[in-house]
Amino acid sequence: MDLGIRGKKAIICAGSKGLGRGCAEALAEAGVDLVLNARGAEALAETANEIEARYGVTVIAVAADITAPEGRAAVLAAAGEVDILINNAGGPPPGVWSDWSRDDFIKALDGNMLSPIAMMQGVMPGMMARGWGRVVNITSAAVRAPIPQLGLSNAARAGLTGFVAGTARQVAHAGVTINNMLPGIHATDRADALDGAVVRAEGISLDEARARRAAGIPARRYGTASEFGAMCAFLCSQHAGFIVGQNILVDGGAANQTM
Ligand code: NAP
């Protein structure tokens, strides 16, 4: 399917690895030029070079912390006018509800709620003026079904979801759509980190931790960054202009819900 977005320009936040990279690759495959962000300059440059070589698009790499105001300013300045924004950042650490301080909550809200909102505020006025835009926020399956040890994530992402629910309906008239993608378990460094915590807590091997977790997913496996990216690219396509303010769960059926 031709996604109809060849020649458009996208910002991909936190995109040198994992799900962000999956989205970057799928958009590049559709002919979209990228402004690719992550903190680690080396891995970012490597990913940017690989994507440019493989798909023949232009990739501008901006090494910066997207949760810091100066990091966001650097990304927005490098990008100029953009058509597509993929919001992403690392997730908050696991823990116990009674241990988290105000500072822990502020950090989580900054990273996973206020930063994506600031990026939307940065690019959406231009998208609306030009009459076309796509925003996809990478959130978490925890928005639909809470993961108890990820209380900081549950809280921050629920806040972003509420903001998007209202705002998506205020910008759709101008051809701008905002949707969220809710990943369940995907095979990325983040999943390795969470599985690593189980390995340490229960004294089992990493393979065993993964097998246990996969057994609880109806698809009996972890998702891949490329299948996640394909859905993201579709949401950014010309065909998805009537999909507004939705929360797309990509979890292999793990959340046991009718809707
Ligand atoms: P990942 O494999 O660890 O990759 C994270 C990417 O984000 C890397 O490129 C990393 O590069 C970049 N990054 C992290 N913090 C950043 C920051 N402050 N500023 C700029 N770049 C940053 O993670 P992932 O699995 O793709 O997860 C992406 C998001 O989905 C996270 O919020 C995660 O919590 C959420 N999620 C993931 C899963 C899963 O199973 N994978 C499930 C539910 C939710 P640098 O470290 O070099 O900056």
Side-chain angles (χ1 to χ4, degrees), residues 173-240:
H173 70 90
V176 176
T177 70
I178 317 175
N179 292 287
N180 302 321
M181 287 186 67
L182 284 53
I185 302 305
H186 284 71
T188 67
D189 290 356
R190 166 79 171 169
D192 281 350
L194 294 174
D195 288 339
V198 176
V199 166
R200 286 189 295 281
E202 300 192 22
I204 57 175
S205 71
L206 187 58
D207 281 348
E208 195 176 344
R210 285 184 185 140
R212 275 194 205 172
R213 204 130 71 111
I217 302 171
R220 298 284 185 272
R221 65 174 177 89
Y222 288 15
T224 68
S226 69
E227 56 197 351
F228 189 87
M231 171 55 91
C232 176
F234 181 76
L235 288 173
C236 296
S237 75
Q238 295 292 2
H239 313 295

Side-chain angles (χ1 to χ4, degrees), residues 13-21 37-41 43-44 64-68 88-92 112 138-142 147 150 153 157 182-191 194 213 222 228:
C13 304
S16 66
K17 299 178 190 165
L19 303 179
R21 178 173 179 156
N37 155 260
R39 292 164 304 182
L44 179 65
D65 183 345
I66 204 67
T67 67
N88 186 29
N112 297 105
I138 300 180
T139 66
S140 172
I147 303 170
L150 290 179
S153 173
R157 297 185 198 279
L182 284 53
I185 302 305
H186 284 71
T188 67
D189 290 356
R190 166 79 171 169
L194 294 174
R213 204 130 71 111
Y222 288 15
F228 189 87

